[in-house]
Amino acid sequence: MSLKEIQDEFDKWAQKCDPPYWKPHEIMARLIEEVGELAREINHRYGPKKKKSSEETKEIADEINDIIITLICMANSHGIDLNEAMERTMQKIKERDTERFEAKN
Amino acid sequence: MSLKEIQDEFDKWAQKCDPPYWKPHEIMARLIEEVGELAREINHRYGPKKKKSSEETKEIADEINDIIITLICMANSHGIDLNEAMERTMQKIKERDTERFEAKN
Amino acid sequence: MSLKEIQDEFDKWAQKCDPPYWKPHEIMARLIEEVGELAREINHRYGPKKKKSSEETKEIADEINDIIITLICMANSHGIDLNEAMERTMQKIKERDTERFEAKN
Amino acid sequence: MSLKEIQDEFDKWAQKCDPPYWKPHEIMARLIEEVGELAREINHRYGPKKKKSSEETKEIADEINDIIITLICMANSHGIDLNEAMERTMQKIKERDTERFEAKN
């Protein structure tokens, strides 16, 4: 599934909710909450009070996923196609690579 | 491009860097910085000092994209496949939909 | 108690811990966690899923306090006197006031 | 100056603004922006791209101060007395100390 397909699939579901999306500032606050949960996981695994084995990464995967879902809400509520910006980024990465390759030759 | 393909493409580029990825806490701090930039955009557009027309969403798209890229770094540096968690989420959404449909019938 | 006195009191306690303070990136991650909890409170009270009466503010006070404590850890671990920066801010506010008063006359 | 005096001084100034305080979600977004700036400083000093000598701490002090000012706005707009929560915290710290002392004897 591409980012756009994930967005569309999520939107189909959201459109059955009332309202489909929260207000931007409300999504923003939710985003912080989710980022805070990832930060807690990072401290649990790598921080001063290590509680987790360094091998399990499921919680980190889940927290990252929750953040992406919140970003999809923000994007959808603005009619933003996340593929577009991502393709620009990927294009830049490839160009930087080509320059580096040429620089070496 | 799926999330996994974006991750792989990004990783090909990162592997040429030394080190390919920052430490988890460093990526975490960067994530906050990027989230802070999205927050500033949200206040510029919807907040007390509106500076932006409500029609332009390019900056918001770019800030969301920067956050996703940072999350991809965090995921890649942990060997996390973001498609997996996303598919679980999408599956849950569909199941909730089916239950709702059945509840109505 | 001034900010400096709070810092000193807290430091007396911290010096009995080993180590007295976490590393800067670890305190940073904790800060986000605490900020995320305030964000959750704000959404609970003012957001899409209001759960709290608008009159109780104890939770908000507690979350703000937790953030200030985390900032005190960050300041103390750097030997920063928070009174100094705050006094500069207060001075600026008063000057801006004087200018405004003069502008009116 | 105690936290309460800082709050009062700030409020005198804010009351001349219209409106004196932003809405809670707007202050929340501003808070993230300020926290993001502290995160950037932390990465500049301790992170993968160290730019700053470890001796200068003025920027960190200023960023912490900006966060505290934003928290004071949040507190003031809710009529919260920050001294109260802080005194509870300080009391807890002292009690924990006494217990520890007694445990040792």
Short mmCIF file of all heavy atoms in Angstrom, two decimals, chain B residues 40-100:
data_model
loop_
_atom_site.label_atom_id
_atom_site.label_comp_id
_atom_site.label_asym_id
_atom_site.label_seq_id
_atom_site.Cartn_x
_atom_site.Cartn_y
_atom_site.Cartn_z
N ARG B 40 4.26 25.19 14.64
CA ARG B 40 4.36 26.61 14.27
C ARG B 40 3.49 26.90 13.04
O ARG B 40 2.76 27.89 13.00
CB ARG B 40 5.81 26.98 13.99
CG ARG B 40 5.99 28.49 13.80
CD ARG B 40 7.44 28.85 13.57
NE ARG B 40 7.97 28.06 12.46
CZ ARG B 40 9.25 27.74 12.30
NH1 ARG B 40 10.13 28.13 13.16
NH2 ARG B 40 9.63 27.02 11.27
N GLU B 41 3.54 26.00 12.05
CA GLU B 41 2.70 26.16 10.86
C GLU B 41 1.21 26.19 11.23
O GLU B 41 0.44 26.98 10.69
CB GLU B 41 2.93 25.01 9.88
CG GLU B 41 4.10 25.19 8.95
CD GLU B 41 4.03 26.50 8.17
OE1 GLU B 41 3.00 26.81 7.58
OE2 GLU B 41 5.04 27.23 8.19
N ILE B 42 0.84 25.29 12.13
CA ILE B 42 -0.58 25.21 12.55
C ILE B 42 -1.00 26.51 13.22
O ILE B 42 -2.08 27.05 12.94
CB ILE B 42 -0.80 23.98 13.49
CG1 ILE B 42 -0.55 22.65 12.73
CG2 ILE B 42 -2.19 23.99 14.10
CD1 ILE B 42 -1.48 22.37 11.58
N ASN B 43 -0.14 27.06 14.07
CA ASN B 43 -0.48 28.35 14.69
C ASN B 43 -0.47 29.50 13.68
O ASN B 43 -1.27 30.42 13.78
CB ASN B 43 0.47 28.66 15.86
CG ASN B 43 -0.17 28.33 17.21
OD1 ASN B 43 -1.33 27.89 17.26
ND2 ASN B 43 0.56 28.54 18.30
N HIS B 44 0.40 29.42 12.70
CA HIS B 44 0.42 30.48 11.67
C HIS B 44 -0.86 30.48 10.84
O HIS B 44 -1.33 31.51 10.40
CB HIS B 44 1.63 30.29 10.73
CG HIS B 44 2.88 30.87 11.28
ND1 HIS B 44 4.05 30.91 10.56
CD2 HIS B 44 3.16 31.43 12.47
CE1 HIS B 44 5.00 31.47 11.30
NE2 HIS B 44 4.48 31.77 12.46
N ARG B 45 -1.40 29.31 10.64
CA ARG B 45 -2.57 29.21 9.78
C ARG B 45 -3.89 29.35 10.54
O ARG B 45 -4.84 29.94 10.06
CB ARG B 45 -2.55 27.88 9.03
CG ARG B 45 -3.67 27.71 8.01
CD ARG B 45 -3.51 26.39 7.30
NE ARG B 45 -2.19 26.30 6.70
CZ ARG B 45 -1.88 26.82 5.53
NH1 ARG B 45 -2.81 27.44 4.82
NH2 ARG B 45 -0.66 26.71 5.06
N TYR B 46 -3.92 28.77 11.74
CA TYR B 46 -5.19 28.71 12.46
C TYR B 46 -5.15 29.44 13.79
O TYR B 46 -6.14 29.48 14.50
CB TYR B 46 -5.58 27.25 12.74
CG TYR B 46 -5.65 26.41 11.51
CD1 TYR B 46 -4.63 25.53 11.19
CD2 TYR B 46 -6.75 26.50 10.65
CE1 TYR B 46 -4.69 24.75 10.04
CE2 TYR B 46 -6.81 25.73 9.50
CZ TYR B 46 -5.78 24.86 9.21
OH TYR B 46 -5.84 24.10 8.08
N GLY B 47 -3.98 29.93 14.15
CA GLY B 47 -3.82 30.42 15.51
C GLY B 47 -4.08 31.90 15.65
O GLY B 47 -4.72 32.52 14.80
N PRO B 48 -3.57 32.43 16.75
CA PRO B 48 -3.87 33.82 17.13
C PRO B 48 -3.23 34.84 16.19
O PRO B 48 -3.67 35.98 16.15
CB PRO B 48 -3.26 33.92 18.54
CG PRO B 48 -2.22 32.85 18.58
CD PRO B 48 -2.70 31.75 17.72
N LYS B 49 -2.21 34.44 15.49
CA LYS B 49 -1.54 35.38 14.60
C LYS B 49 -1.55 34.83 13.19
O LYS B 49 -0.51 34.53 12.61
CB LYS B 49 -0.07 35.54 15.01
CG LYS B 49 0.17 36.05 16.40
CD LYS B 49 1.66 36.23 16.57
CE LYS B 49 2.01 36.86 17.90
NZ LYS B 49 3.47 36.97 18.05
N LYS B 50 -2.72 34.68 12.65
CA LYS B 50 -2.83 34.08 11.32
C LYS B 50 -2.00 34.86 10.32
O LYS B 50 -2.15 36.06 10.15
CB LYS B 50 -4.29 34.07 10.86
CG LYS B 50 -5.13 33.00 11.48
CD LYS B 50 -6.48 32.91 10.78
CE LYS B 50 -7.47 32.15 11.64
NZ LYS B 50 -7.93 32.95 12.82
N LYS B 51 -1.09 34.14 9.65
CA LYS B 51 -0.28 34.78 8.63
C LYS B 51 -0.54 34.19 7.26
O LYS B 51 -0.17 34.75 6.24
CB LYS B 51 1.22 34.59 8.93
CG LYS B 51 1.72 35.34 10.13
CD LYS B 51 3.20 35.06 10.36
CE LYS B 51 3.62 35.66 11.70
NZ LYS B 51 4.98 35.22 12.06
N LYS B 52 -1.11 32.99 7.23
CA LYS B 52 -1.21 32.25 5.99
C LYS B 52 -2.66 32.13 5.55
O LYS B 52 -3.55 31.95 6.38
CB LYS B 52 -0.68 30.82 6.21
CG LYS B 52 0.71 30.75 6.79
CD LYS B 52 1.77 30.78 5.73
CE LYS B 52 3.16 30.82 6.36
NZ LYS B 52 3.56 29.52 6.91
N SER B 53 -2.84 32.19 4.26
CA SER B 53 -4.16 31.92 3.70
C SER B 53 -4.51 30.48 4.02
O SER B 53 -3.63 29.62 4.12
CB SER B 53 -4.12 32.11 2.18
OG SER B 53 -4.81 31.08 1.53
N SER B 54 -5.77 30.21 4.18
CA SER B 54 -6.16 28.85 4.55
C SER B 54 -6.07 27.91 3.35
O SER B 54 -6.31 26.72 3.48
CB SER B 54 -7.56 28.85 5.13
OG SER B 54 -8.47 29.25 4.14
N GLU B 55 -5.73 28.45 2.19
CA GLU B 55 -5.69 27.57 1.02
C GLU B 55 -4.34 26.91 0.77
O GLU B 55 -4.27 25.80 0.28
CB GLU B 55 -6.15 28.32 -0.23
CG GLU B 55 -7.68 28.36 -0.29
CD GLU B 55 -8.18 29.32 -1.32
OE1 GLU B 55 -7.67 29.28 -2.45
OE2 GLU B 55 -9.07 30.13 -1.00
N GLU B 56 -3.28 27.62 1.08
CA GLU B 56 -1.97 27.01 0.87
C GLU B 56 -1.73 25.93 1.92
O GLU B 56 -1.83 26.20 3.10
CB GLU B 56 -0.84 28.02 1.03
CG GLU B 56 -0.97 29.29 0.27
CD GLU B 56 -0.19 30.38 1.00
OE1 GLU B 56 0.82 30.03 1.64
OE2 GLU B 56 -0.61 31.54 0.96
N THR B 57 -1.41 24.76 1.47
CA THR B 57 -1.12 23.72 2.45
C THR B 57 0.26 23.11 2.20
O THR B 57 0.62 22.14 2.84
CB THR B 57 -2.17 22.59 2.40
OG1 THR B 57 -2.28 22.15 1.06
CG2 THR B 57 -3.51 23.07 2.89
N LYS B 58 1.01 23.70 1.29
CA LYS B 58 2.31 23.11 0.95
C LYS B 58 3.24 23.03 2.18
O LYS B 58 3.90 22.01 2.39
CB LYS B 58 2.98 23.91 -0.17
CG LYS B 58 4.23 23.22 -0.71
CD LYS B 58 4.82 23.91 -1.91
CE LYS B 58 6.21 23.33 -2.21
NZ LYS B 58 7.13 23.30 -1.04
N GLU B 59 3.27 24.08 2.98
CA GLU B 59 4.16 24.05 4.15
C GLU B 59 3.75 22.94 5.11
O GLU B 59 4.60 22.26 5.68
CB GLU B 59 4.15 25.38 4.92
CG GLU B 59 4.85 26.51 4.20
CD GLU B 59 3.85 27.34 3.40
OE1 GLU B 59 2.75 26.81 3.10
OE2 GLU B 59 4.16 28.50 3.09
N ILE B 60 2.44 22.79 5.31
CA ILE B 60 1.98 21.74 6.21
C ILE B 60 2.39 20.38 5.64
O ILE B 60 2.89 19.51 6.36
CB ILE B 60 0.46 21.85 6.46
CG1 ILE B 60 0.19 23.09 7.32
CG2 ILE B 60 -0.10 20.59 7.12
CD1 ILE B 60 -1.26 23.30 7.71
N ALA B 61 2.19 20.20 4.33
CA ALA B 61 2.59 18.94 3.68
C ALA B 61 4.08 18.68 3.88
O ALA B 61 4.49 17.56 4.21
CB ALA B 61 2.26 18.99 2.18
N ASP B 62 4.89 19.73 3.72
CA ASP B 62 6.35 19.56 3.87
C ASP B 62 6.73 19.21 5.30
O ASP B 62 7.62 18.37 5.53
CB ASP B 62 7.09 20.84 3.44
CG ASP B 62 7.07 21.01 1.92
OD1 ASP B 62 6.74 20.03 1.21
OD2 ASP B 62 7.37 22.12 1.44
N GLU B 63 6.07 19.85 6.26
CA GLU B 63 6.40 19.56 7.66
C GLU B 63 5.99 18.14 8.03
O GLU B 63 6.72 17.43 8.74
CB GLU B 63 5.74 20.57 8.61
CG GLU B 63 6.17 22.03 8.42
CD GLU B 63 7.66 22.29 8.58
OE1 GLU B 63 8.38 21.39 9.06
OE2 GLU B 63 8.12 23.39 8.20
N ILE B 64 4.82 17.71 7.55
CA ILE B 64 4.39 16.33 7.82
C ILE B 64 5.40 15.36 7.20
O ILE B 64 5.80 14.37 7.82
CB ILE B 64 2.97 16.06 7.26
CG1 ILE B 64 1.93 16.89 8.02
CG2 ILE B 64 2.62 14.58 7.32
CD1 ILE B 64 0.51 16.79 7.47
N ASN B 65 5.81 15.67 5.98
CA ASN B 65 6.78 14.80 5.30
C ASN B 65 8.09 14.71 6.09
O ASN B 65 8.66 13.63 6.24
CB ASN B 65 7.04 15.36 3.90
CG ASN B 65 7.86 14.41 3.06
OD1 ASN B 65 7.47 13.26 2.84
ND2 ASN B 65 9.02 14.87 2.60
N ASP B 66 8.57 15.84 6.61
CA ASP B 66 9.81 15.82 7.40
C ASP B 66 9.66 14.92 8.63
O ASP B 66 10.60 14.23 9.03
CB ASP B 66 10.18 17.25 7.88
CG ASP B 66 10.70 18.11 6.73
OD1 ASP B 66 10.98 17.56 5.64
OD2 ASP B 66 10.82 19.34 6.93
N ILE B 67 8.49 14.95 9.23
CA ILE B 67 8.26 14.10 10.40
C ILE B 67 8.28 12.62 9.98
O ILE B 67 8.90 11.79 10.65
CB ILE B 67 6.92 14.45 11.11
CG1 ILE B 67 6.93 15.91 11.58
CG2 ILE B 67 6.68 13.51 12.29
CD1 ILE B 67 5.59 16.39 12.14
N ILE B 68 7.63 12.31 8.86
CA ILE B 68 7.61 10.91 8.40
C ILE B 68 9.03 10.43 8.09
O ILE B 68 9.41 9.31 8.45
CB ILE B 68 6.67 10.73 7.18
CG1 ILE B 68 5.21 11.00 7.60
CG2 ILE B 68 6.78 9.31 6.60
CD1 ILE B 68 4.19 10.88 6.48
N ILE B 69 9.82 11.28 7.46
CA ILE B 69 11.22 10.91 7.16
C ILE B 69 11.97 10.59 8.48
O ILE B 69 12.71 9.60 8.56
CB ILE B 69 11.95 12.05 6.41
CG1 ILE B 69 11.34 12.29 5.03
CG2 ILE B 69 13.46 11.77 6.31
CD1 ILE B 69 11.65 11.23 4.01
N THR B 70 11.75 11.41 9.49
CA THR B 70 12.42 11.17 10.78
C THR B 70 11.95 9.85 11.39
O THR B 70 12.74 9.11 11.98
CB THR B 70 12.15 12.36 11.74
OG1 THR B 70 12.39 13.59 11.03
CG2 THR B 70 13.07 12.31 12.94
N LEU B 71 10.65 9.57 11.23
CA LEU B 71 10.12 8.30 11.74
C LEU B 71 10.71 7.11 10.97
O LEU B 71 10.94 6.04 11.53
CB LEU B 71 8.59 8.28 11.64
CG LEU B 71 7.87 9.27 12.56
CD1 LEU B 71 6.39 9.34 12.20
CD2 LEU B 71 8.05 8.88 14.03
N ILE B 72 10.96 7.31 9.68
CA ILE B 72 11.56 6.25 8.86
C ILE B 72 13.00 5.98 9.35
O ILE B 72 13.42 4.83 9.44
CB ILE B 72 11.51 6.63 7.37
CG1 ILE B 72 10.08 6.40 6.86
CG2 ILE B 72 12.52 5.84 6.54
CD1 ILE B 72 9.81 6.91 5.47
N CYS B 73 13.72 7.04 9.71
CA CYS B 73 15.06 6.85 10.28
C CYS B 73 14.97 6.03 11.56
O CYS B 73 15.75 5.10 11.78
CB CYS B 73 15.70 8.20 10.63
SG CYS B 73 16.14 9.15 9.18
N MET B 74 14.02 6.39 12.43
CA MET B 74 13.87 5.66 13.69
C MET B 74 13.54 4.19 13.39
O MET B 74 14.13 3.29 14.00
CB MET B 74 12.75 6.30 14.52
CG MET B 74 12.57 5.73 15.91
SD MET B 74 13.94 6.13 17.03
CE MET B 74 13.29 7.61 17.85
N ALA B 75 12.61 3.96 12.47
CA ALA B 75 12.20 2.59 12.13
C ALA B 75 13.38 1.83 11.52
O ALA B 75 13.71 0.72 11.97
CB ALA B 75 11.01 2.62 11.18
N ASN B 76 14.03 2.40 10.54
CA ASN B 76 15.15 1.72 9.87
C ASN B 76 16.26 1.38 10.85
O ASN B 76 16.83 0.29 10.79
CB ASN B 76 15.71 2.60 8.75
CG ASN B 76 14.85 2.55 7.48
OD1 ASN B 76 13.83 1.87 7.46
ND2 ASN B 76 15.26 3.26 6.45
N SER B 77 16.56 2.31 11.75
CA SER B 77 17.68 2.05 12.66
C SER B 77 17.34 0.93 13.65
O SER B 77 18.21 0.42 14.34
CB SER B 77 18.06 3.33 13.40
OG SER B 77 17.07 3.66 14.35
N HIS B 78 16.06 0.56 13.71
CA HIS B 78 15.64 -0.56 14.55
C HIS B 78 15.28 -1.81 13.74
O HIS B 78 14.80 -2.79 14.31
CB HIS B 78 14.42 -0.18 15.40
CG HIS B 78 14.74 0.70 16.56
ND1 HIS B 78 14.85 2.06 16.44
CD2 HIS B 78 15.00 0.41 17.87
CE1 HIS B 78 15.15 2.57 17.63
NE2 HIS B 78 15.25 1.60 18.50
N GLY B 79 15.41 -1.74 12.41
CA GLY B 79 15.01 -2.88 11.58
C GLY B 79 13.51 -3.13 11.60
O GLY B 79 13.05 -4.26 11.45
N ILE B 80 12.74 -2.06 11.81
CA ILE B 80 11.28 -2.19 11.88
C ILE B 80 10.67 -2.05 10.48
O ILE B 80 11.02 -1.13 9.74
CB ILE B 80 10.69 -1.09 12.80
CG1 ILE B 80 11.05 -1.39 14.25
CG2 ILE B 80 9.18 -0.95 12.62
CD1 ILE B 80 10.74 -0.25 15.21
N ASP B 81 9.77 -2.97 10.13
CA ASP B 81 9.03 -2.88 8.86
C ASP B 81 7.72 -2.15 9.14
O ASP B 81 6.81 -2.70 9.76
CB ASP B 81 8.77 -4.31 8.35
CG ASP B 81 7.92 -4.32 7.08
OD1 ASP B 81 7.31 -3.27 6.73
OD2 ASP B 81 7.85 -5.38 6.44
N LEU B 82 7.63 -0.91 8.68
CA LEU B 82 6.45 -0.09 8.99
C LEU B 82 5.17 -0.62 8.33
O LEU B 82 4.07 -0.33 8.80
CB LEU B 82 6.69 1.37 8.60
CG LEU B 82 7.68 2.14 9.47
CD1 LEU B 82 7.95 3.51 8.90
CD2 LEU B 82 7.14 2.28 10.90
N ASN B 83 5.32 -1.38 7.24
CA ASN B 83 4.12 -1.94 6.60
C ASN B 83 3.36 -2.88 7.53
O ASN B 83 2.13 -2.90 7.55
CB ASN B 83 4.51 -2.73 5.34
CG ASN B 83 4.39 -1.90 4.09
OD1 ASN B 83 4.03 -0.72 4.14
ND2 ASN B 83 4.68 -2.50 2.94
N GLU B 84 4.11 -3.64 8.30
CA GLU B 84 3.48 -4.63 9.18
C GLU B 84 2.48 -3.99 10.15
O GLU B 84 1.33 -4.38 10.22
CB GLU B 84 4.55 -5.34 10.01
CG GLU B 84 5.16 -6.54 9.32
CD GLU B 84 6.20 -7.22 10.21
OE1 GLU B 84 6.06 -7.15 11.46
OE2 GLU B 84 7.14 -7.78 9.66
N ALA B 85 2.97 -2.96 10.90
CA ALA B 85 2.10 -2.31 11.87
C ALA B 85 0.94 -1.61 11.16
O ALA B 85 -0.20 -1.63 11.64
CB ALA B 85 2.90 -1.32 12.71
N MET B 86 1.23 -1.02 10.00
CA MET B 86 0.18 -0.30 9.28
C MET B 86 -0.90 -1.27 8.80
O MET B 86 -2.08 -0.96 8.85
CB MET B 86 0.79 0.45 8.10
CG MET B 86 -0.17 1.35 7.36
SD MET B 86 -0.99 2.58 8.44
CE MET B 86 0.29 3.83 8.59
N GLU B 87 -0.48 -2.46 8.36
CA GLU B 87 -1.48 -3.43 7.90
C GLU B 87 -2.38 -3.89 9.05
O GLU B 87 -3.58 -4.07 8.87
CB GLU B 87 -0.81 -4.61 7.19
CG GLU B 87 -0.68 -4.32 5.70
CD GLU B 87 0.25 -5.28 4.97
OE1 GLU B 87 0.39 -6.43 5.42
OE2 GLU B 87 0.84 -4.85 3.95
N ARG B 88 -1.78 -4.05 10.21
CA ARG B 88 -2.61 -4.40 11.39
C ARG B 88 -3.65 -3.31 11.64
O ARG B 88 -4.81 -3.59 11.92
CB ARG B 88 -1.73 -4.57 12.64
CG ARG B 88 -1.02 -5.90 12.72
CD ARG B 88 -0.57 -6.21 14.17
NE ARG B 88 0.31 -5.19 14.72
CZ ARG B 88 1.64 -5.16 14.55
NH1 ARG B 88 2.23 -6.09 13.83
NH2 ARG B 88 2.38 -4.22 15.09
N THR B 89 -3.22 -2.05 11.54
CA THR B 89 -4.15 -0.94 11.76
C THR B 89 -5.27 -0.95 10.74
O THR B 89 -6.45 -0.79 11.07
CB THR B 89 -3.40 0.42 11.65
OG1 THR B 89 -2.31 0.39 12.55
CG2 THR B 89 -4.32 1.58 11.96
N MET B 90 -4.89 -1.13 9.48
CA MET B 90 -5.88 -1.12 8.41
C MET B 90 -6.88 -2.27 8.58
O MET B 90 -8.07 -2.13 8.37
CB MET B 90 -5.18 -1.22 7.04
CG MET B 90 -4.43 0.04 6.64
SD MET B 90 -5.58 1.45 6.38
CE MET B 90 -4.68 2.79 7.15
N GLN B 91 -6.36 -3.42 9.03
CA GLN B 91 -7.21 -4.57 9.28
C GLN B 91 -8.23 -4.25 10.37
O GLN B 91 -9.42 -4.54 10.23
CB GLN B 91 -6.32 -5.76 9.69
CG GLN B 91 -7.02 -7.11 9.63
CD GLN B 91 -7.65 -7.38 8.26
OE1 GLN B 91 -7.07 -7.04 7.23
NE2 GLN B 91 -8.86 -7.92 8.24
N LYS B 92 -7.76 -3.59 11.43
CA LYS B 92 -8.66 -3.23 12.54
C LYS B 92 -9.76 -2.29 12.07
O LYS B 92 -10.92 -2.41 12.47
CB LYS B 92 -7.85 -2.52 13.65
CG LYS B 92 -7.34 -3.45 14.73
CD LYS B 92 -6.74 -2.61 15.87
CE LYS B 92 -5.32 -3.06 16.14
NZ LYS B 92 -4.56 -2.12 16.96
N ILE B 93 -9.39 -1.34 11.22
CA ILE B 93 -10.36 -0.37 10.70
C ILE B 93 -11.44 -1.11 9.92
O ILE B 93 -12.63 -0.84 10.07
CB ILE B 93 -9.64 0.66 9.80
CG1 ILE B 93 -8.92 1.68 10.66
CG2 ILE B 93 -10.63 1.34 8.87
CD1 ILE B 93 -8.12 2.70 9.86
N LYS B 94 -11.02 -2.05 9.08
CA LYS B 94 -12.01 -2.79 8.28
C LYS B 94 -12.92 -3.63 9.16
O LYS B 94 -14.12 -3.72 8.93
CB LYS B 94 -11.29 -3.67 7.25
CG LYS B 94 -10.82 -2.86 6.05
CD LYS B 94 -10.08 -3.73 5.04
CE LYS B 94 -9.37 -2.83 4.01
NZ LYS B 94 -8.38 -3.59 3.22
N GLU B 95 -12.34 -4.24 10.19
CA GLU B 95 -13.17 -5.06 11.08
C GLU B 95 -14.18 -4.19 11.82
O GLU B 95 -15.34 -4.56 11.95
CB GLU B 95 -12.28 -5.79 12.10
CG GLU B 95 -11.63 -7.03 11.49
CD GLU B 95 -10.46 -7.53 12.31
OE1 GLU B 95 -10.38 -7.16 13.51
OE2 GLU B 95 -9.63 -8.28 11.76
N ARG B 96 -13.73 -3.04 12.26
CA ARG B 96 -14.65 -2.15 12.96
C ARG B 96 -15.80 -1.76 12.03
O ARG B 96 -16.93 -1.65 12.44
CB ARG B 96 -13.90 -0.90 13.44
CG ARG B 96 -13.99 -0.72 14.94
CD ARG B 96 -13.29 0.52 15.41
NE ARG B 96 -11.83 0.41 15.32
CZ ARG B 96 -10.99 1.42 15.54
NH1 ARG B 96 -11.47 2.62 15.86
NH2 ARG B 96 -9.69 1.25 15.46
N ASP B 97 -15.45 -1.58 10.75
CA ASP B 97 -16.45 -1.25 9.74
C ASP B 97 -17.47 -2.36 9.56
O ASP B 97 -18.67 -2.12 9.49
CB ASP B 97 -15.75 -1.05 8.39
CG ASP B 97 -15.75 0.41 8.02
OD1 ASP B 97 -15.74 1.24 8.96
OD2 ASP B 97 -15.77 0.71 6.83
N THR B 98 -16.97 -3.57 9.50
CA THR B 98 -17.85 -4.72 9.30
C THR B 98 -18.80 -4.83 10.49
O THR B 98 -20.01 -5.00 10.32
CB THR B 98 -17.00 -6.01 9.18
OG1 THR B 98 -15.93 -5.73 8.29
CG2 THR B 98 -17.83 -7.15 8.66
N GLU B 99 -18.25 -4.68 11.69
CA GLU B 99 -19.10 -4.74 12.88
C GLU B 99 -20.18 -3.67 12.83
O GLU B 99 -21.33 -3.92 13.15
CB GLU B 99 -18.27 -4.49 14.15
CG GLU B 99 -17.44 -5.69 14.57
CD GLU B 99 -16.34 -5.28 15.54
OE1 GLU B 99 -16.53 -4.27 16.25
OE2 GLU B 99 -15.29 -5.96 15.56
N ARG B 100 -19.79 -2.50 12.40
CA ARG B 100 -20.75 -1.42 12.34
C ARG B 100 -21.84 -1.74 11.32
O ARG B 100 -23.01 -1.53 11.56
CB ARG B 100 -20.02 -0.13 11.92
CG ARG B 100 -20.80 1.10 12.24
CD ARG B 100 -20.15 2.34 11.73
NE ARG B 100 -18.74 2.42 12.10
CZ ARG B 100 -18.07 3.57 12.12
NH1 ARG B 100 -18.69 4.70 11.81
NH2 ARG B 100 -16.80 3.61 12.44
#
